[in-house]
Amino acid sequence: QVQLVESGGGLVQAGGSLRLSCVVSRSIVSFDAMGWYRQAPGKQRELVAVISSDRVTNYANSVKGRFTISRDNTKNTVYLQMNSLKPEDTAVYYCNARSLTVNFWGQGTQVTVSS
């Protein structure tokens, strides 16, 4: 059983920062990519950022320049550093681990950005 546990969410004012963490119960190098997704009420889940096993990254246009995804393979942990937060960033953020044949999700952590 593969478990992903997110942490670091909370309430922050616009312009503030948060750092999300995702601890995986399996070596993250066994997956093709690790990613962060988010889902706001009434909205479809969307990709926020992804990082491959060789550390190639990709970001949603809405977060480019503000968010940074990184990984620590020795800790089996993926991070999402979120700076200059905006109210529209408010959502539940989910950690994802995927390969060609598998897809695992965490339970999510709430991020709320107030005006």
Side-chain angles (χ1 to χ4, degrees):
Q1 186 179 19
V2 177
Q3 293 179 296
L4 288 70
V5 181
E6 303 99 330
S7 63
L11 176 63
V12 65
Q13 292 182 339
S17 298
L18 285 173
R19 189 196 194 201
L20 306 184
S21 299
C22 173
V23 180
V24 185
S25 65
R26 178 191 289 178
S27 174
I28 60 174
V29 300
S30 66
F31 299 101
D32 293 329
M34 302 294 301
W36 287 96
Y37 291 70
R38 68 186 181 187
Q39 187 168 25
K43 301 262 186 174
Q44 194 173 10
R45 186 175 297 186
E46 64 174 347
L47 176 67
V48 176
V50 64
I51 183 167
S52 69
S53 58
D54 58 354
R55 300 183 187 274
V56 176
T57 59
N58 191 30
Y59 297 90
N61 288 332
S62 59
V63 306
K64 284 181 179 177
R66 299 189 297 121
F67 291 10
T68 302
I69 188 170
S70 61
R71 59 194 292 156
D72 186 335
N73 293 338
T74 65
K75 296 180 179 180
N76 295 323
T77 301
V78 180
Y79 305 95
L80 184 67
Q81 179 66 47
M82 305 185 294
N83 299 325
S84 302
L85 283 162
K86 305 174 180 179
E88 50 262 45
D89 295 318
T90 295
V92 177
Y93 284 71
Y94 297 91
C95 184
N96 170 255
R98 65 173 175 85
S99 296
L100 289 175
T101 58
V102 298
N103 218 354
F104 298 102
W105 296 91
Q107 295 280 16
T109 185
Q110 177 71 49
V111 172
T112 303
V113 185
S114 62
S115 300

